[in-house]
Amino acid sequence: MNAEPAVSEHRDSGAEKSIPKVRGQPLVKLPDDLYIPPDALEVFLETFEGPLDLLLYLIRKQNLDILDIPVSKITEQYMEYIQLMRELKLELAAEYLLMAAWLAEIKSRILLPRPPAAEEEPVDPRMALVRRLQEYERFKTAAETLEALPRVGRDLFLAQARPDVARSATPPPPPALRELLLALREALLRAELFARHTVAVEPLSVRSRMSRILERVERGPARFEELVDPAEGRAGVVVAFVALLELVKNGLLEVFQETAFAPLHVDRPRARECSPMEET
Amino acid sequence: MSETDIPPRETAGRIENVLEALLLAADGPLSLDQLHKLVGEEFGLSRRELRERLARLAERYADDACELKEVASGWRIQIRPEYSAWVGRLWQDKPPRYSRALLETLALIVYRQPITRGEIEDVRGVSVSTNILRTLLDRGWVREVGHKEVPGRPALYGTTPQFLDDFNLKSLDQLPPLPEVKDLDQLEAALARLGQGAVPAQAAQEAVAQESAPEAPSAAVPPEATLH
Amino acid sequence: MSETDIPPRETAGRIENVLEALLLAADGPLSLDQLHKLVGEEFGLSRRELRERLARLAERYADDACELKEVASGWRIQIRPEYSAWVGRLWQDKPPRYSRALLETLALIVYRQPITRGEIEDVRGVSVSTNILRTLLDRGWVREVGHKEVPGRPALYGTTPQFLDDFNLKSLDQLPPLPEVKDLDQLEAALARLGQGAVPAQAAQEAVAQESAPEAPSAAVPPEATLH
């Protein structure tokens, strides 16, 4: 439970202002039961699947049964979290605020003496909260059960074989390019690839040349000249060169030279424990 | 060469081999119907006899790395789980991991189908991101099964046979039931503690009545519907 | 099925089962090197001993619909030729269509080659079925161009000249760059430039299909593939 670094980091980062404050008091210590990865406060909100999840956590944290929620106490703790998040200017989903409002309402209704005339509304306001928490918890558990089930592709693999030559099966005609590109479009839009990669100007010939070079090198080291054919003209040489650089950058190839002015060789990189380049 | 001119006597083991060949070559499970269409007539087998052949084929796999398994959309041959770790080595890349948000959403669709996005959000207490639903739809685990006749006609979601296949299940009944809610007595006792005795039993009963409807996941979805 | 004279009985059968599991789950043939890397050390097997195991596994298939065969790039388990006619029936009924999953996988290989299966899965957000890669490899559109030097040495895939032929392209450069793919109008314009507007170049495709029929190990896409 070492939450100190997160806070001191803020202190280091400059002005007094950046020290989080809760109810006007500078926050020097995070709430005791607040588990936050030391240097990643932002992760906090992602740790919880919403206000119900956070509430469940607070309740479990004190070994309480949902049915025994001490609403006032839980509400206070919940508010502390919310306040903290706001002070740290973390983006807070509206649902958390909504829950805060609801908790406050429940709390006030419990604390306020019930007017004798209000016969119509005798239901304990906590009941609705308890029910929602219970309901949510059931599905939280069910989700864990699903995750634990063996799953094809992760824990289960299909056995598959095909004939060497399927004589009777005529292959279907290739799909139209249009179909292919529309499929790509979907995949890319889904992955928001455009946002993350700047591949706009990369000519595709570089990509296919990368494949060809790799294939050649897979058979053994190659001399640099082998991979760059002057007959292809200036553009061809540039493409080959860019492809080589890209492969080296991605850790797929290594270029080496025995001695100065010796011919350049290109080979597969020596296997390493772990590639420094995971990114494509 | 040709299957047809082999006398019926010798075909016994052969039928199972044909079934094996079909199952191994297919991309996914083959239903009894499909298998019957493919080989039933040729070998003069009824559906019931075909089932027996499949059982015999399954026995043949007793000592093998594979097993013949029936899942929602039919039969398939799969690697036995005890060899999965070895097979996993073939691909260094880890299979996609799903977020808790996605799994909770899936659980709600599984156990409460048909269900709208809004209803999922009500239970989870947070909004369901479009990406989660899209992933579930893309993965083929979930699909729209209709629209709720309320203003806005929100889509209703249900699970697919593909979901069952991928989770190695034949039907939704094989899933464990949802965890129970506390029963009436407990709830009343709790209410008494909570409400300083001010809570009428009626409210408690209502609460319980709503929760205690039988809640095995319901297979509301005919398998054919996935073929579009 | 049963082996006679293998010293440590249980391990012996187990090794062969592990080999069987790997071969049945792999996308393509596995070389002796790959197999040795996958299981050699664990079981303390030399390459030569591994070869013996493979021979023994091959014997086990004597009466099966499959056979263990050594081809140029390694070992694979394949359906025996005498059953291929049956397998062909799987794909006869419905005119096979390429599934979206297959098309997306192919498109990603085209644009992001050399790319690993895992990287494809990262973009698609779902796992790539073994058979999709097999179909692409069988169809001759895609091939292994190397291995990524990270643990597990996953295969890197790239496109082939056959892909260009079949899609009526002279070079990949003719394809629109990614930003144009994203914009539907620009995509249409690019397709029009290529003479691949709304109507596919049917004649060219048929010619290619016929040409490649005799020797291409042509596995059609079974109808199930369209479900994904």
Side-chain angles (χ1 to χ4, degrees):
Chain A
M1 183 75 24
N2 180 13
E4 214 49 48
V7 176
S8 50
E9 213 176 84
H10 272 268
R11 205 178 283 142
D12 295 342
S13 68
E16 274 276 293
K17 268 185 219 160
S18 67
I19 299 173
K21 291 179 183 174
V22 175
R23 293 190 196 97
Q25 299 296 310
L27 183 85
V28 287
K29 187 172 173 296
L30 293 171
D32 282 338
D33 55 355
L34 180 55
Y35 172 73
I36 296 178
D39 54 351
L41 212 51
E42 289 81 0
V43 174
F44 170 82
L45 279 179
E46 283 162 26
T47 313
F48 295 103
E49 287 301 330
L52 290 169
D53 198 25
L54 172 53
L55 271 179
L56 269 185
Y57 165 81
L58 293 174
I59 293 164
R60 295 282 172 249
K61 186 86 192 147
Q62 303 174 48
N63 276 325
L64 292 175
D65 192 278
I66 298 182
L67 298 175
D68 292 318
I69 311 174
V71 173
S72 313
K73 197 169 162 206
I74 291 295
T75 302
E76 264 164 43
Q77 290 184 350
Y78 184 89
M79 298 304 185
E80 271 176 47
Y81 274 78
I82 300 306
Q83 190 60 29
L84 181 65
M85 293 304 117
R86 290 178 130 174
E87 297 287 345
L88 294 180
K89 298 211 166 38
L90 294 183
E91 205 181 317
L92 200 55
E95 292 95 347
Y96 285 90
L97 303 176
L98 204 67
M99 174 62 76
W102 192 29
L103 286 172
E105 189 201 333
I106 294 175
K107 194 174 153 191
S108 67
R109 277 168 65 189
I110 294 168
L111 294 181
L112 290 175
R114 200 169 283 135
E119 290 276 326
E120 291 305 308
E121 199 196 7
V123 180
D124 189 303
R126 284 167 290 191
M127 234 2 257
L129 179 61
V130 169
R131 280 185 45 202
R132 284 199 65 181
L133 282 170
Q134 274 189 320
E135 187 69 350
Y136 172 68
E137 194 179 35
R138 300 171 78 193
F139 288 98
K140 189 180 162 176
T141 311
E144 284 158 12
T145 310
L146 283 180
E147 174 69 354
L149 286 178
R151 192 152 79 216
V152 169
R154 189 189 66 179
D155 325 281
L156 279 177
F157 301 95
L158 304 189
Q160 295 183 318
R162 288 196 167 170
D164 190 9
V165 184
R167 274 161 306 163
S168 59
T170 9
L177 201 52
R178 173 194 193 75
E179 252 185 284
L180 182 69
L181 293 176
L182 286 175
L184 176 68
R185 187 169 172 270
E186 288 248 337
L188 293 179
L189 290 180
R190 220 173 40 238
E192 289 173 348
L193 195 71
F194 297 102
R196 293 201 318 250
H197 298 264
T198 44
V199 288
V201 289
E202 182 182 78
L204 270 170
S205 54
V206 170
R207 285 273 155 199
S208 63
R209 180 60 70 99
M210 283 166 73
S211 285
R212 256 167 64 195
I213 293 174
L214 260 190
E215 213 170 11
R216 165 62 193 84
V217 170
E218 196 71 4
R219 298 197 301 270
R223 286 161 59 102
F224 184 75
E225 300 85 61
E226 263 182 83
L227 304 172
V228 183
D229 182 4
E232 288 179 291
R234 200 191 175 89
V237 172
V238 169
V239 164
F241 194 67
V242 172
L244 259 176
L245 289 179
E246 189 70 13
L247 286 165
V248 171
K249 192 184 101 190
N250 288 343
L252 297 169
L253 282 187
E254 273 176 7
V255 177
F256 59 93
Q257 202 174 17
E258 295 293 322
T259 54
F261 306 113
L264 283 175
H265 280 87
V266 178
D267 197 4
R268 301 202 313 232
R270 287 146 196 91
R272 272 165 243 156
E273 276 311 294
C274 153
S275 157
M277 278 299 191
E278 271 304 316
E279 176 227 26
T280 35
Chain B
M1 236 354 161
S2 154
E3 304 70 40
T4 35
D5 48 32
I6 290 159
R9 282 255 144 188
E10 282 141 75
T11 54
R14 207 180 137 72
I15 296 174
E16 284 135 46
N17 276 357
V18 168
L19 292 173
E20 184 184 31
L22 289 169
L23 291 166
L24 282 174
D27 244 4
L30 293 174
S31 68
L32 202 66
D33 266 9
Q34 283 173 294
L35 286 169
H36 192 255
K37 214 172 280 169
L38 286 162
V39 306
E41 204 175 309
E42 209 98 3
F43 291 119
L45 292 176
S46 70
R47 255 155 244 257
R48 211 172 48 88
E49 286 163 329
L50 194 56
R51 224 172 231 290
E52 283 167 21
R53 297 293 181 177
L54 285 165
R56 219 168 289 165
L57 181 60
E59 278 167 34
R60 226 164 73 174
Y61 282 110
D63 299 322
D64 270 25
C66 313
E67 60 187 340
L68 180 64
K69 169 112 189 165
E70 189 180 2
V71 289
S73 38
W75 300 77
R76 72 178 176 211
I77 297 173
Q78 62 191 36
I79 311 290
R80 283 183 195 281
E82 58 259 48
Y83 296 99
S84 292
W86 291 96
V87 172
R89 294 186 180 190
L90 280 174
W91 306 287
Q92 178 253 338
D93 313 285
K94 304 215 169 55
R97 271 189 58 91
Y98 296 106
S99 65
R100 261 178 58 201
L102 181 137
L103 291 162
E104 286 177 13
T105 304
L106 178 61
L108 272 153
I109 297 175
V110 168
Y111 285 91
R112 281 287 164 78
Q113 59 185 299
I115 187 172
T116 66
R117 182 181 179 147
E119 288 161 353
I120 297 169
E121 291 175 342
D122 283 348
V123 175
R124 294 196 54 235
V126 286
S127 62
V128 170
S129 90
T130 302
N131 263 341
I132 285 180
L133 276 173
R134 207 183 265 179
T135 304
L136 289 171
L137 289 162
D138 279 345
R139 194 74 190 76
W141 288 345
V142 153
R143 65 189 155 147
E144 280 191 30
V145 292
H147 292 269
K148 190 159 186 169
E149 290 306 334
V150 294
R153 302 189 72 241
L156 287 160
Y157 297 97
T159 54
T160 63
Q162 174 90 48
F163 161 76
L164 294 169
D165 290 352
D166 282 358
F167 284 77
N168 209 28
L169 300 165
K170 201 169 140 185
S171 77
L172 285 172
D173 303 336
Q174 293 184 320
L175 281 172
L178 264 190
E180 291 283 321
V181 196
K182 309 286 180 198
D183 64 23
L184 184 62
D185 290 345
Q186 264 181 293
L187 200 55
E188 262 185 301
L191 282 169
R193 279 200 303 279
L194 272 179
Q196 300 126 4
V199 183
Q202 194 203 345
Q205 268 162 5
E206 267 169 24
V208 171
Q210 281 187 18
E211 301 300 341
S212 60
E215 282 201 83
S218 53
V221 183
E224 305 81 53
T226 38
L227 303 152
H228 11 236
Chain C
M1 271 278 166
S2 75
E3 284 82 31
T4 37
D5 46 17
I6 301 146
R9 244 224 146 106
E10 279 117 70
T11 350
R14 201 179 137 73
I15 296 174
E16 283 136 44
N17 275 359
V18 169
L19 291 173
E20 183 184 30
L22 289 168
L23 290 165
L24 281 173
D27 298 333
L30 294 174
S31 68
L32 201 65
D33 264 10
Q34 281 173 296
L35 285 170
H36 191 256
K37 217 167 272 168
L38 287 163
V39 306
E41 201 175 311
E42 213 99 358
F43 288 121
L45 290 177
S46 71
R47 256 155 243 257
R48 210 171 51 87
E49 285 165 327
L50 193 58
R51 222 171 232 293
E52 282 167 21
R53 298 293 180 178
L54 286 165
R56 220 168 285 166
L57 181 61
E59 279 167 35
R60 226 164 73 171
Y61 280 104
D63 300 321
D64 269 25
C66 313
E67 58 188 341
L68 178 62
K69 199 165 171 189
E70 190 176 3
V71 292
S73 47
W75 299 77
R76 76 166 166 222
I77 293 173
Q78 61 186 40
I79 311 286
R80 284 182 194 280
E82 58 260 48
Y83 294 98
S84 61
W86 288 99
V87 171
R89 289 188 179 195
L90 265 182
W91 304 317
Q92 266 169 8
D93 282 2
K94 302 159 208 168
R97 273 196 52 227
Y98 292 97
S99 67
R100 215 181 81 191
L102 181 136
L103 292 172
E104 284 184 12
T105 304
L106 176 59
L108 281 167
I109 294 175
V110 170
Y111 277 83
R112 305 298 301 156
Q113 62 182 301
I115 187 171
T116 66
R117 181 185 178 138
E119 289 161 353
I120 298 169
E121 291 175 341
D122 279 349
V123 177
R124 295 199 53 236
V126 299
S127 63
V128 171
S129 102
T130 295
N131 261 343
I132 284 180
L133 278 171
R134 266 193 203 182
T135 301
L136 292 174
L137 290 162
D138 282 352
R139 207 68 183 71
W141 291 336
V142 152
R143 62 186 154 172
E144 275 190 27
V145 292
H147 292 270
K148 193 162 183 170
E149 292 302 337
V150 293
R153 301 190 75 240
L156 288 159
Y157 297 96
T159 52
T160 64
Q162 172 100 47
F163 165 79
L164 294 174
D165 289 352
D166 285 3
F167 283 80
N168 215 11
L169 296 166
K170 273 205 285 294
S171 86
L172 285 179
D173 280 338
Q174 291 186 297
L175 290 174
L178 287 183
E180 279 185 33
V181 175
K182 190 188 170 197
D183 184 301
L184 208 48
D185 290 340
Q186 291 188 41
L187 178 56
E188 293 297 348
L191 285 167
R193 271 205 309 280
L194 282 163
Q196 298 238 12
V199 186
Q202 197 61 42
Q205 282 169 2
E206 270 167 21
V208 168
Q210 277 181 11
E211 225 169 76
S212 59
E215 50 169 1
S218 47
V221 182
E224 287 84 354
T226 47
L227 290 179
H228 301 311

